[in-house]
Amino acid sequence: MIASHGLMSTLILSATFAYVIVVCLIGFWSLNKVKDEAGFLVAGRSLGPILGGATLMANQVSAGTTIGLVGFYYFSGISFAWTWPLAWLGLVIAALFVAPKMRGFAGITLSDYFAARFGSEAARVVSAIFIILSYTLMLSAQYQAGGLLFGLVTSMSYTSAVFLVSFITFIYTVMGGMYSNAYIGLIKALILICAYCLAVPFLVSHAGGLHNIAASLYAINPKLTGGWFDVRRLIALTLALSLGLAAAPYEVTAYYSLSDKRTVRVAIGYSFVFQSCIALGVVFCGLCARQFMPYLPNADLATPVLGLYILPVWIGFLLLFAVVVTLTRTGGALLLTSASAVSHDIVLRFVRPGASEAQKLVVHRVAIAILAIVPVMIALMRLDLVNFVILLAFKLLAATFFAPVVLGLNWKRGTKAGAISAMIGGSAAVLIWQHFGNPYFLFLEAAEAGVLVSTGLFILVSLVTPRSPESATGPFFASGGVPSSIA
């Protein structure tokens, strides 16, 4: 039975109300566990592999996945599916070259790494500013997706829905920090996997099987089953996702939260398993939505349309509720990471350096309250399709952080001047190429240009500037150039 609009509206609003109660209870429970800054921002470095894997997955799978990517598959067909294995290269890079070494360093934020590795508070501030800007943009996309979903499924206005999603994100984050994010991440993983495991078999069967899906898509537009994006374009699009993931600030914070180096690698494995299940669901939802309703006015409507008009009531409800949980949970990770860049890396470092642990917690929570407001204002402007907003943010993250993080952890010669110039130059290149390229400027896509410029600047500037002092490189490189643990 397909749900009536009124029934689905009642179910979603009721489930959302219950979800608010659950996240508040988790927040209150986490509140009692948080005793100091490390407890609030990195869960006291206590997360195990399954909880850690769910946390990593929950950070990565956002509204850009459950709304934006489904819309992308609706819009462009099967060719974009190749971005999943290409993007997972970022997980491999993280597992081999980033995550265990970051856990060995055992900082609080990614900017802690920049300050320690390059012996530079300027590098800390520059990296913190880029984190705040990029993650504020990404958080606005989560709110925008929430406004779109609630506006379509319920009678709630877009503005009211944006405020509701921002409130849910804010309330559990401000109370429990990383503890809340971790446990809600596990809930998110279970609901998402259940939703897609139920939805995909029904959609494939209802569509008449895989062959009929392919034939229907070909009839709509032959490019949907072939090469909407050519190989060159797919690599360009995936580069931002893959390299941005390898050095993503919220993932680095999750690495800090895990109990030890071995747990980091196992958690990344669990994250891959979770993401693989979700990837299949996302691909089939997008393709089947295009077959059933081929001319939606906005590709971002694909998931809500499936839940409302195609899937049986309880499967549709579960899918739509999974989206609600997804965007609020990823929003929590973005909010916590951007707020900590303000509180930990700027306010507590330069304004209140002698603050007690209790005072630090107050500063962190005030920063969360402030940083929760700005994305709401951006979301109300509706800048672009959700996935295009998130892709731009990932391009900036890849160009800003990949070279100074991945190379910086594995190449002792990197210097603070190299790191700062890489961050500034890489992000500037993305914005320039984004403006002039359609899709290419000087034969490069924006993400490609940003990463190349950033990497080139990091290497060249490092080679012509004085080496970092041993006090800066020592904690990261033992004899032979292998990073040592200071945990």
Side-chain angles (χ1 to χ4, degrees):
M1 180 185 73
I2 308 303
S4 69
H5 195 283
L7 174 60
M8 186 61 75
S9 175
T10 301
L11 288 172
I12 290 295
L13 290 176
S14 299
T16 302
F17 178 74
Y19 176 57
V20 171
I21 295 174
V22 170
V23 299
C24 286
L25 291 174
I26 292 174
F28 279 120
W29 175 80
S30 302
L31 188 63
N32 294 325
K33 292 177 68 69
V34 172
K35 305 299 181 184
D36 54 22
E37 181 181 44
F40 188 72
L41 294 182
V42 291
R45 310 189 198 282
S46 64
L47 301 185
I50 295 178
L51 194 57
T55 300
L56 292 168
M57 180 283 298
N59 289 351
Q60 297 157 15
V61 176
S62 67
T65 306
T66 55
I67 295 288
L69 271 185
V70 172
F72 239 53
Y73 290 116
Y74 177 94
F75 169 76
S76 61
I78 192 63
S79 65
F80 198 71
W82 291 105
T83 60
W84 282 99
L86 292 174
W88 284 330
L89 286 175
L91 289 178
V92 176
I93 294 171
L96 295 177
F97 302 110
V98 177
K101 299 172 184 180
M102 280 294 188
R103 180 57 188 87
F105 166 56
I108 296 289
T109 65
L110 178 61
S111 298
D112 277 343
Y113 155 79
F114 277 94
R117 166 63 182 85
F118 301 107
S120 170
E121 290 302 308
R124 175 196 296 278
V125 172
V126 171
S127 63
I129 290 172
F130 280 115
I131 290 170
I132 295 165
L133 293 176
S134 297
Y135 276 16
T136 297
L137 184 63
M138 289 181 70
L139 184 53
S140 73
Q142 310 304 309
Y143 293 168
Q144 180 176 327
L148 177 73
L149 177 68
F150 279 102
L152 183 66
V153 175
T154 74
S155 58
M156 188 178 298
S157 69
Y158 175 83
T159 300
S160 298
V162 167
F163 278 105
L164 173 62
V165 172
S166 66
F167 171 76
I168 296 172
T169 301
F170 164 77
I171 194 66
Y172 75 81
T173 304
V174 78
M175 288 193 288
M178 180 57 80
Y179 279 117
S180 295
N181 270 267
Y183 286 98
I184 294 172
L186 183 59
I187 293 172
K188 169 181 170 176
L190 295 174
I191 294 176
L192 267 176
I193 291 172
C194 287
Y196 285 127
C197 284
L198 291 172
V200 169
F202 174 86
L203 290 173
V204 173
S205 174
H206 194 55
L210 297 178
H211 182 270
N212 198 50
I213 294 173
S216 299
L217 293 176
Y218 185 86
I220 295 169
N221 188 330
K223 294 172 66 177
L224 292 172
T225 57
W228 190 286
F229 297 109
D230 58 26
V231 174
R232 173 76 174 80
R233 182 66 171 152
L234 284 174
I235 292 174
L237 288 169
T238 306
L239 183 70
L241 299 173
S242 179
L243 301 188
L245 181 61
Y250 56 16
E251 297 296 74
V252 170
T253 301
Y255 302 149
Y256 293 150
S257 304
L258 294 162
S259 57
D260 53 48
K261 290 182 179 181
R262 180 182 178 279
T263 301
V264 169
R265 284 201 173 102
V266 178
I268 290 176
Y270 278 114
S271 174
F272 173 77
V273 172
F274 293 145
Q275 289 188 55
S276 298
C277 297
I278 293 166
L280 288 173
V282 166
V283 172
F284 279 104
C285 282
L287 298 180
C288 290
R290 188 63 184 265
Q291 176 185 357
F292 296 136
M293 303 190 76
Y295 302 110
L296 291 176
N298 183 333
D300 281 344
L301 297 175
T303 292
V305 162
L306 284 179
L308 276 172
Y309 304 116
I310 306 300
L311 291 166
V313 56
W314 292 110
I315 300 178
F317 158 71
L318 188 61
L319 179 66
L320 295 178
F321 181 61
V323 175
V324 174
V325 176
T326 294
L327 56 92
T328 54
R329 167 52 184 82
T330 302
L334 295 168
L335 179 57
L336 185 65
T337 305
S338 59
S340 65
V342 173
S343 55
H344 176 82
D345 294 308
I346 297 177
V347 176
L348 293 175
R349 181 62 54 175
F350 302 106
V351 181
R352 295 289 303 277
S356 66
E357 290 297 328
Q359 291 170 332
K360 289 179 181 178
L361 292 177
V362 172
V363 172
H364 291 314
R365 289 182 168 120
V366 170
I368 288 171
I370 294 172
L371 266 294
I373 296 173
V374 178
V376 171
M377 300 169 63
I378 299 174
L380 294 177
M381 298 166 59
R382 304 197 203 194
L383 296 179
D384 204 337
L385 289 180
V386 169
N387 211 44
F388 286 127
V389 174
I390 292 176
L391 271 175
L392 174 60
F394 264 103
K395 290 175 186 180
L396 288 169
L397 289 170
T400 303
F401 295 124
F402 178 79
V405 171
V406 178
L407 294 184
L409 282 169
N410 297 278
W411 184 47
K412 193 174 182 179
R413 187 64 180 83
T415 68
K416 65 180 180 182
I420 293 173
S421 61
M423 287 188 283
I424 296 174
S427 59
V430 167
L431 295 177
I432 292 171
W433 258 260
Q434 194 76 13
H435 178 72
F436 289 104
N438 188 25
Y440 305 113
F441 173 58
L442 300 179
F443 308 105
L444 294 173
E445 200 273 337
E448 295 172 329
V451 171
L452 285 175
V453 169
S454 178
T455 302
L457 286 172
F458 182 70
I459 294 172
L460 292 176
V461 175
S462 293
L463 289 174
V464 299
T465 52
R467 293 176 178 269
S468 298
E470 189 63 30
S471 59
T473 58
F476 295 90
F477 296 90
S479 59
V482 180
S484 61
S485 172
I486 63 170

